[in-house]
Amino acid sequence: MTTRDVCDAAGLQAPIPGTREVNMFNDAKDPRALTQRLMREATGARVIWDFDGVVGHTEPLHEASYRELASRRGYVFGADFFDDLVGHTEQWIWERVISEGFPAGMNEIPLLHRERGDVVADLALGSLEPSWLAATLMPAFAPVAEDQVVVSNGDPDLITALLAQWDLGAFVDVGRRALGRDKEVLFRTLCVPPCVVLEDSDAYLSLAREHGAFTVGVRHSHNSRAALDADITTYL
């Protein structure tokens, strides 16, 4: 099936071969227009999806889980404590908050990880829905993209379960990074042009541009400080 076939089926105008749109969407939440704009970028390309803040608006759940574990220990985080933690590995986050006063030792991080994982899984599996970006674009890209893969600092087993629950698992694979390691190595390995990257992190948008990828910056409630320097910006 060609790009034009997909566009016709979706009622969209197919892109003109050999042209490139130079105008950017500025905080455009328009599934029809965004699908039309990105279809040619995804054709024959690998599409890399971040999960937290892109495929699912999970950051509020992650913040709630850290607050829950703090509450169980009689500790209270500040109002905006999570803003600087978004996008990092859980190991990094626990080391950071423990160094800043969270009542636990570094040797307890594996236990904290398991405890928080149970809280997040219960919240996500019980209430989380896919973002409009994922629900719209994953099926649209499937006939034309080389492949689609989630590259995330989140739990790959939970991500796989959520994608299956949302009937999106057939469209995308879930990358598995080394245990306890940031996703950067996996990202660098997979981000080979032609490539489209959907991210909510300035660091990974910058890395994607360095690798020659077409970038989509995603704005949400927990990354208001991010610049999101990307070819296209949109929001959840």
Side-chain angles (χ1 to χ4, degrees):
M1 182 177 288
T2 67
T3 300
R4 181 171 294 277
D5 293 331
V6 174
C7 289
D8 289 344
L12 304 174
Q13 180 180 355
I16 300 172
T19 65
R20 180 180 178 85
E21 180 65 60
V22 295
N23 295 324
M24 290 188 290
F25 288 80
N26 292 316
D27 294 330
K29 185 177 180 180
D30 185 342
R32 180 185 177 90
L34 189 64
T35 302
Q36 179 177 340
R37 173 65 182 88
L38 290 178
M39 191 66 74
R40 68 176 173 271
E41 301 294 345
T43 299
R46 167 169 291 147
V47 179
I48 296 180
W49 294 84
D50 183 29
F51 189 82
D52 295 315
V54 177
V55 177
H57 192 20
T58 56
E59 301 300 358
L61 304 186
H62 287 299
E63 179 178 353
S65 70
Y66 283 101
R67 290 192 183 280
E68 171 62 22
L69 265 65
S71 176
R72 293 176 183 181
R73 290 159 175 80
Y75 184 78
V76 179
F77 284 116
D80 59 354
F81 89 100
F82 200 63
D83 291 357
D84 293 333
L85 309 181
V86 171
H88 292 284
T89 64
E90 184 164 356
Q91 179 71 26
W92 186 96
I93 292 173
W94 280 124
E95 290 176 1
R96 168 79 174 266
V97 300
I98 289 172
S99 70
E100 294 178 346
F102 186 90
M106 295 295 181
N107 62 320
E108 297 178 73
I109 290 178
L111 295 175
L112 293 168
H113 178 87
R114 288 193 290 272
E115 183 180 352
R116 195 187 75 85
D118 290 340
V119 174
V120 171
D122 287 344
L123 291 171
L125 292 169
S127 64
L128 189 65
E129 296 293 334
S131 69
W132 70 271
L133 281 172
T136 301
L137 296 178
M138 283 183 178
F141 290 163
V144 298
E146 179 69 23
D147 57 20
Q148 301 186 71
V149 58
V150 173
V151 180
S152 172
N153 277 325
D155 179 352
D157 292 328
L158 177 57
I159 292 170
T160 299
L162 287 167
L163 290 169
Q165 180 171 290
W166 299 334
D167 295 325
L168 295 175
F171 305 124
V172 60
D173 296 321
V174 179
R176 291 184 175 268
R177 57 192 168 80
L179 185 64
R181 300 296 298 275
D182 187 87
K183 70 182 186 181
E184 182 176 347
V185 173
L186 180 61
F187 186 93
R188 287 181 179 274
T189 300
L190 293 175
C191 189
V192 178
C195 187
V196 176
V197 172
L198 296 96
E199 261 286 353
D200 65 338
S201 161
D202 283 340
Y204 280 97
L205 286 171
S206 177
L207 185 58
R209 291 195 307 275
E210 290 176 14
H211 282 245
F214 185 89
T215 52
V216 181
V218 182
R219 180 79 64 191
H220 55 73
S221 64
H222 282 59
N223 70 345
S224 60
R225 300 178 184 176
L228 297 185
D229 182 10
D231 295 291
I232 286 177
T233 58
T234 185
Y235 63 89
L236 296 188

